[in-house]
Amino acid sequence: FPARVPNTPSKLGFVFLDPYGAELEWSTVEAIGRAGTFDVLINLSVMAVFRQSPKGRPPSPEIQDNITKFMGGPEWYEKCYPDTPTLTLPGISIDTIDKKRPDVADGLARCYISRLKTCFRHVSSFYMMRNSKGSPLYALILASQAELAVKRISEIFNKYKKKELSH
């Protein structure tokens, strides 16, 4: 094992967060990160955001608030509902979410990673888990106090990304 990194707590804990839907509030993740003694593997459910986004219209203010609490800020909305509406009728403009666009799920994961970087020293890229039809389900992300942990998980993620590309 490498020597302990200066200014890193000598005792670290590991947390695996696998919330049911979007029930995990960002404030919990932020508190874990700010404690400075935990590494966290997060199973970020992009599908939970998709499920709460009704087809053909933006979610209600209540649902938007729930997703914002889950994602840690309102930036998710811009990823799902770009400024340009996808459906426009005379006098009516309806924003819709295209759940099949891979950049929507990836954008949600990148938003979350940006938030994680505000309270953890090191954060990995994400690995998107998909169902048998290729639809995104959740993104695995490691947030750590140690650079080496992120380096190792990134190696693992890259190995699986290469396998996906070869199929």
Side-chain angles (χ1 to χ4, degrees):
F1 290 99
R4 190 170 74 81
V5 177
N7 300 322
T8 301
S10 61
K11 293 183 180 183
L12 294 176
F14 181 79
V15 179
F16 176 59
L17 295 175
D18 185 13
Y20 180 77
E23 292 182 3
L24 176 68
E25 289 191 8
W26 170 254
S27 59
T28 302
V29 177
E30 184 177 39
I32 292 169
R34 297 227 184 271
T37 56
F38 296 99
D39 288 353
V40 181
L41 183 62
I42 301 167
N43 204 3
L44 177 68
S45 180
V46 295
M47 186 175 53
V49 176
F50 290 164
R51 281 185 178 163
Q52 292 187 58
S53 303
K55 193 172 185 175
R57 65 188 195 295
S60 69
E62 180 183 344
I63 291 174
Q64 286 183 40
D65 186 51
N66 289 342
I67 296 172
T68 297
K69 286 178 184 174
F70 173 68
M71 293 294 296
E75 300 84 2
W76 69 270
Y77 191 86
E78 298 164 12
K79 300 297 179 196
C80 293
Y81 302 96
D83 289 337
T84 308
T86 56
L87 175 61
T88 305
L89 300 171
I92 301 173
S93 174
I94 302 173
D95 292 336
T96 59
I97 183 172
D98 184 353
K99 299 173 185 178
K100 296 188 181 199
R101 282 183 23 220
D103 60 315
V104 173
D106 291 358
L108 289 171
R110 282 191 291 276
C111 274
Y112 206 78
I113 286 170
S114 292
R115 285 280 177 190
L116 288 169
K117 288 179 178 179
T118 67
C119 54
F120 285 89
R121 291 182 182 163
H122 306 280
V123 181
S124 73
S125 61
F126 63 91
Y127 180 74
M128 191 65 67
M129 303 299 292
R130 300 178 184 281
N131 65 15
S132 60
K133 295 180 181 181
S135 298
L137 299 174
Y138 56 90
L140 286 173
I141 305 166
L142 180 72
S144 179
Q145 306 304 330
E147 184 177 10
L148 183 60
V150 169
K151 181 179 177 187
R152 294 294 184 247
I153 199 77
S154 296
E155 290 169 357
I156 294 167
F157 288 172
N158 288 335
K159 177 181 172 183
Y160 282 96
K161 287 176 185 177
K162 286 178 186 175
K163 280 186 181 182
E164 285 177 359
L165 294 174
S166 67
H167 284 105

